Amino acid sequence: MNTFSFKSVLAASVFFVGATTCFAQDVLVNSLKLNASDKSKENFKFTEQINLGTTSVKMQGSSGTCWSYSTNSFLESEMIRLGKQPVELSQIYSARNVYVEKGINYVRMHGAVTLGDGGALHDVINMYKKYGTVPREVYTGLNYGTDKNKFGEMAAIIEGVLTAVVKNPNGELTPNWQKAYAAVIDSYLGKVPDNFTYKGKNYTPQSFAKEVVGINPDDYIEMSSFTTSPYYQKTTMMVPDNWSFDQVYNVKVNDMTDVIDNALKKGYTVAWATDVSEKSFSWKNGVAYVPTKKFVDMTAEEKADMFNGPKPEMEITPEIRQAAFDNYTTTDDHGMHIIGLAKDQTGREYYIVKNSWGETNDYKGFLFVTKNFVKYKTTALMVNKGGIPAEIAKKLGV
């Protein structure tokens, strides 16, 4: 999820923030009409089967930080599962620490690595482990008069700073560049507090993570599915926004939905990274599925009817899924949070997904995504290892 160079994928008026990144939502939510129907909600009849706890829907604004919003929402639901009072965690605290680490990595790699707002699900866990966390009310990231994230200017400036560092004008880097770089970030997002008071008690970010949130970062497993690597082993996730070169477990296509189903039934939610550039993903209508025809092969009538009730779906094979990665029709676009399971009037199952684009669609910030869409378009998913089926966990060695 690299940011601030534009990619048009859904319509001429809708842009991604970056070549392979989360959307900047204020250019999206009311402009997309080509893959939407005014009658969709009355023609889909969803019945919830499972709906696990979650905190309120957020708006990521003009920032490619969906990965932080989705994974922090996931951690908030983990608090609910553990019987704790959930705390709305600071998404921008996680993102701020990623910007710092990513900048260091960028310089070490002489600029030959992804930069920008983007990130991955594991970034939040990695930052939690290293830096702890803070409540959203303690660190909003809104440090210059805006009421929502607007990161374009900051992104341009920090890229300029890092570009200058990589040019190495002194012939040898000094340690001061890291201080200057962090100062730029803090001037936009605010300085991170060394300690803070929450409900009458003083904490550091590390002590707050341990004493209040109380999750073990080593309990979380990230996985995907590729035909290019051995199954049930770790492989480097080959997407541009895996700037830290983290590895994920490689599982079979059907294993991904088996893991999600088992996790939901056992009370675990799932963090989900996916491609959302398909015309069969409609944010306005809150529905995503995999049609039997490509959009370009549909008649005008078929296109207009895409979201007027359930439609047949294409079956997903490992080869179809891999081909979409290889030809760039699946890219690392967006992170969301799977919190439940539902059925439509035909009995087809959908995952209930929480987004970070505000309450701006038919389902007030949630959407219904078919299992075939998840099999086809998932770039990664993260789950507590307690939610993994025993036979898959054994194969993974977790």
Side-chain angles (χ1 to χ4, degrees):
M1 303 167 224
N2 185 11
T3 56
F4 298 102
S5 61
F6 293 117
K7 170 189 176 185
S8 177
V9 290
L10 298 179
S13 61
V14 182
F15 297 97
F16 276 24
V17 181
T20 52
T21 188
C22 312
F23 288 125
Q25 295 324 309
D26 53 353
V27 299
L28 169 72
V29 290
N30 293 317
S31 62
L32 183 56
K33 298 297 181 184
L34 293 180
N35 62 337
S37 168
D38 291 334
K39 299 180 180 179
S40 178
K41 194 171 183 181
E42 65 187 64
N43 290 327
F44 279 96
K45 305 299 180 184
F46 292 114
T47 303
E48 292 184 352
Q49 308 297 305
I50 300 171
N51 194 332
L52 302 174
T54 183
T55 53
S56 63
V57 171
K58 309 298 190 300
M59 169 66 88
Q60 69 188 70
S62 293
S63 73
T65 54
C66 60
W67 51 274
S68 188
Y69 278 79
S70 57
T71 313
N72 274 292
S73 177
F74 168 69
L75 295 183
E76 292 161 4
S77 286
E78 281 289 272
M79 294 186 70
I80 295 172
R81 183 186 62 78
L82 292 169
K84 296 174 176 285
Q85 181 66 36
V87 178
E88 296 200 341
L89 302 175
S90 173
Q91 304 89 359
I92 305 306
Y93 179 78
S94 301
R96 185 264 178 202
N97 292 324
V98 165
Y99 295 155
V100 170
E101 295 289 338
K102 189 185 294 185
I104 294 169
N105 193 54
Y106 183 85
V107 172
R108 285 176 177 158
M109 295 292 291
H110 296 226
V113 70
T114 296
L115 192 60
D117 263 8
L121 306 175
H122 54 251
D123 285 337
V124 171
I125 300 298
N126 291 345
M127 296 305 106
Y128 180 98
K129 189 172 185 177
K130 183 170 182 177
Y131 294 99
T133 189
V134 302
R136 190 177 186 210
E137 65 190 61
V138 169
Y139 193 78
T140 65
L142 303 174
N143 196 44
Y144 50 96
T146 62
D147 60 0
K148 62 181 179 180
N149 301 328
K150 196 169 185 179
F151 288 177
E153 183 177 296
M154 178 185 73
I157 291 176
I158 63 177
E159 181 174 359
V161 169
L162 294 176
T163 299
V165 173
V166 169
K167 288 180 179 178
N168 191 17
N170 283 358
E172 181 180 352
L173 295 184
T174 74
N176 288 45
W177 77 262
Q178 292 190 28
K179 297 177 183 178
Y181 174 61
V184 171
I185 296 170
D186 290 347
S187 70
Y188 281 92
L189 303 183
K191 187 173 174 57
V192 173
D194 293 326
N195 55 75
F196 57 91
T197 299
Y198 180 76
K199 293 187 175 180
K201 185 175 178 180
N202 191 260
Y203 297 95
T204 66
Q206 290 81 3
S207 68
F208 185 81
K210 181 178 180 180
E211 297 173 26
V212 179
V213 181
I215 65 108
N216 179 359
D218 295 328
D219 284 343
Y220 299 94
I221 301 297
E222 195 173 20
M223 59 186 68
S224 191
S225 182
F226 307 101
T227 63
T228 52
S229 298
Y231 290 123
Y232 309 115
Q233 296 182 25
K234 281 192 170 184
T235 185
T236 302
M237 188 166 63
M238 302 298 287
V239 297
D241 283 312
N242 185 19
W243 58 271
S244 59
F245 310 111
D246 272 40
Q247 292 193 315
V248 301
Y249 286 98
N250 189 37
V251 299
K252 294 182 178 180
V253 170
N254 290 341
D255 287 342
M256 292 192 294
T257 48
D258 288 346
V259 167
I260 297 170
D261 290 347
N262 187 73
L264 293 173
K265 289 173 184 176
K266 293 180 72 174
Y268 297 89
T269 66
V270 179
W272 180 45
T274 187
D275 178 285
V276 295
S277 66
E278 300 293 328
K279 295 294 195 297
S280 59
F281 178 100
S282 173
W283 169 242
K284 191 272 180 189
N285 294 144
V287 174
Y289 71 105
V290 186
T292 55
K293 285 185 180 180
K294 292 182 179 180
F295 186 79
V296 294
D297 297 329
M298 292 181 185
T299 65
E301 292 77 14
E302 288 171 329
K303 292 176 181 178
D305 193 46
M306 284 179 68
F307 295 99
N308 288 328
K311 300 290 184 295
E313 283 195 287
M314 179 175 70
E315 290 303 314
I316 306 304
T317 66
E319 293 74 22
I320 288 172
R321 173 180 161 81
Q322 187 64 47
F325 269 97
D326 292 343
N327 66 25
Y328 289 7
T329 53
T330 292
T331 51
D332 186 28
D333 297 337
H334 195 45
M336 293 179 280
H337 181 197
I338 298 173
I339 62 144
L341 186 71
K343 289 184 179 180
D344 69 17
Q345 62 265 42
T346 72
R348 182 183 299 160
E349 291 184 317
Y350 297 69
Y351 295 121
I352 304 171
V353 179
K354 177 186 176 184
N355 203 356
S356 54
W357 298 349
E359 297 182 2
T360 55
N361 73 339
D362 286 353
Y363 297 100
K364 303 298 182 183
F366 295 87
L367 62 153
F368 296 87
V369 180
T370 67
K371 290 186 176 182
N372 276 7
F373 189 94
V374 169
K375 290 177 183 179
Y376 189 26
K377 290 292 165 176
T378 294
T379 54
L381 61 89
M382 177 178 285
V383 65
N384 188 302
K385 60 186 179 184
I388 301 173
E391 62 276 17
I392 296 178
K394 183 177 180 180
K395 292 177 181 177
L396 298 177
V398 299

